[in-house]
């Protein structure tokens, strides 16, 4: 059940960060069940928050394997909700995750091959394979993008220590916890430009490059780089490192989130255009537009995965 502590700053709907934590836990359980080993989150993409989740709703999170590589598992996840009195579940969020199995020395290990057993399975596996190359191009474009102090657009930076309560079974920060940090920082950035009614509607290209150790300094840097008529595109980069070397933090995770400012009737309100006052502002705006075009080339992820045969 979605509890009051799961809600966003508005107090009316569950925070996207809470949903991302549920998604990561379900995907992790699925990947561990298939590989019989500890797994790490390598990628989360195509996170569509299709409708809000109110506190007090019952929540089901479905995860399944649709493709395996040598050491990786592709796991689509669907979040469904219902009124506690009705028990008729409808989708609220869907996405796909990639996990990598690890051995006792924390090196990637081979996983059992997953093979389709029906026409529906074959279609899901084909979808996963068709997304591989477009996803690599998106990852390369995001990783190669430069950010500096030359930008003038709104920016929010959170800094803190990774706490013992953030740990996973491998002694590192949970992937879901990192995604919650990303959502919280992105929300603060979006709200500074629009209003406290800002909500996430999409997160994509969440790539995990290296683990965050407990006790590390964590820096989450969110920057508004593009606005549409009713949307705010926020690039988020997470860096971490030892408190002994606070000026030498390494990139651990990055993603792009899209927020809207929801009006009283639930629809997205107009967003004031983002002024582009520097060459970096122009370059990052072009980067966001390029990512929009690249995402349009991704095969559509099937939404109704929960009850697929």
């Amino acid at each position: 059940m979605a509890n009051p502590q799961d809600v966003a700053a508005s107090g009316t709907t569950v925070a996207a960060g809470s949903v991302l934590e549920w998604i990561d836990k379900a995907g992790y359980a699925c990947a561990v069940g298939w590989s019989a080993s500890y797994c790490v989150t390598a990628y989360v993409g195509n996170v569509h928050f299709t409708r809000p989740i109110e506190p007090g709703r019952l929540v089901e999170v479905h995860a399944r394997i649709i493709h395996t590589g040598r050491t990786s598992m592709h796991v689509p996840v669907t979040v469904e909700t219902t009124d506690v009195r009705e028990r008729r579940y409808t989708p609220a969020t869907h996405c796909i995750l990639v996990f990598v199995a690890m051995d006792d020395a924390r090196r990637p290990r081979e996983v059992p091959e997953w093979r389709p057993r029906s026409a529906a399975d074959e279609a899901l596996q084909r979808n996963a394979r068709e997304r591989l190359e477009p996803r690599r191009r998106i990852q390369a474009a995001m990783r190669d993008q430069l950010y500096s102090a030359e930008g003038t657009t709104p920016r929010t930076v959170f800094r803190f220590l990774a706490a013992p309560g953030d740990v996973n079974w491998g002694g590192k920060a949970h992937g879901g916890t990192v995604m919650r940090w990303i959502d919280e920082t992105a929300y603060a950035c979006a709200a500074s430009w629009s209003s406290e009614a800002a909500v996430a509607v999409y997160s994509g290209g969440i790539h995990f490059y290296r683990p965050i150790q407990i006790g590390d300094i964590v820096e989450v840097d969110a920057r508004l780089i593009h606005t549409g008529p009713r949307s705010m595109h926020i690039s988020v980069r997470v860096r971490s490192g030892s408190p002994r070397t606070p000026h030498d933090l390494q990139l651990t995770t990055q993603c792009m989130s899209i927020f809207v400012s929801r009006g009283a009737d639930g629809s997205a309100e107009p967003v004031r255009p983002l002024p582009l006052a520097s060459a970096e502002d122009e370059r990052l705006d072009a980067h966001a537009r390029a990512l929009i075009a690249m995402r349009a080339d991704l095969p559509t992820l099937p939404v109704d995965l929960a009850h697929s045969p």
Side-chain angles (χ1 to χ4, degrees):
M1 181 175 286
N3 294 315
Q5 59 264 35
D6 298 318
V7 301
S10 64
T12 58
T13 61
V14 171
S18 296
V19 180
L20 289 167
E21 283 191 299
W22 301 337
I23 286 170
D24 187 65
K25 289 178 180 178
Y28 175 83
C30 182
V32 168
W34 181 259
S35 65
S37 66
Y38 169 67
C39 297
V40 295
T41 312
Y43 167 81
V44 182
N46 208 61
V47 187
H48 284 276
F49 300 98
T50 54
R51 62 180 181 79
I53 301 173
E54 295 81 16
R57 302 277 291 185
L58 286 180
V59 179
E60 280 190 355
V61 189
H62 299 260
R64 60 173 298 181
I65 303 286
I66 64 167
H67 177 60
T68 52
R70 189 177 67 84
T71 63
S72 62
M73 294 150 286
H74 296 237
V75 183
V77 177
T78 300
V79 180
E80 297 186 331
T81 70
T82 185
D83 186 280
V84 67
R85 296 161 296 186
E86 296 177 357
R87 307 299 176 95
R88 291 194 297 272
Y89 287 87
T90 54
T93 306
H94 65 278
C95 67
I96 189 164
L97 298 87
V98 178
F99 289 87
V100 174
M102 310 295 281
D103 61 20
D104 292 340
R106 295 298 183 258
R107 294 188 297 260
R109 56 163 290 183
E110 292 189 15
V111 300
E113 181 185 3
W114 180 84
R115 297 179 179 177
R117 293 188 295 178
S118 67
D121 282 353
E122 290 175 356
L124 290 171
Q125 185 182 67
R126 185 166 54 251
N127 182 278
R129 287 173 170 168
E130 290 173 349
R131 297 176 65 87
L132 290 174
E133 186 53 38
R135 188 169 73 237
R136 290 190 188 103
R137 291 197 297 268
I138 290 172
Q139 179 182 14
M142 293 179 67
R143 184 120 194 211
D144 292 345
Q145 192 57 235
L146 298 176
Y147 294 80
S148 74
E150 304 264 332
T152 68
T153 58
R155 180 181 181 188
T156 299
V157 179
F158 287 174
R159 262 197 172 207
F160 49 88
L161 290 176
D166 302 322
V167 71
N168 62 16
W169 294 108
K172 310 296 191 302
H174 281 286
T177 300
V178 177
M179 289 192 287
R180 175 170 53 80
W181 296 338
I182 287 171
D183 177 68
E184 290 170 350
T185 313
Y187 164 77
C189 185
S192 73
W193 184 253
S194 58
S195 73
E196 293 176 353
V199 295
V201 294
Y202 175 87
S203 286
I206 308 175
H207 294 97
F208 295 84
Y209 300 118
R210 57 189 297 273
I212 296 175
Q213 310 281 346
I214 301 310
D216 275 359
I217 289 178
V218 179
E219 179 185 272
V220 189
D221 189 341
R223 188 181 298 193
L224 179 61
I225 64 172
H226 172 71
T227 54
R230 298 177 187 271
S231 62
M232 295 166 282
H233 297 240
I234 298 174
S235 174
V236 186
R237 294 161 59 84
V238 183
R239 301 191 305 152
S240 71
S242 169
R244 297 190 304 274
T245 55
H247 301 297
D248 186 27
L249 304 183
Q250 302 298 312
L251 181 68
T252 66
T253 313
Q254 66 179 1
C255 84
M256 184 71 70
S257 294
I258 300 176
F259 279 70
V260 302
S261 185
R262 181 167 285 136
D265 62 353
S267 61
E269 295 187 324
V271 173
R272 57 193 169 109
L274 183 67
L276 305 177
S278 71
E280 175 150 318
D281 295 344
E282 295 277 1
R283 175 170 52 78
L284 292 178
D285 178 78
H287 172 58
R289 294 176 184 273
L291 290 178
I292 293 170
M294 294 168 85
R295 285 199 303 268
D297 291 336
L298 283 168
T300 302
L301 182 68
V303 178
D304 189 17
L305 295 165
H307 309 295
S308 297

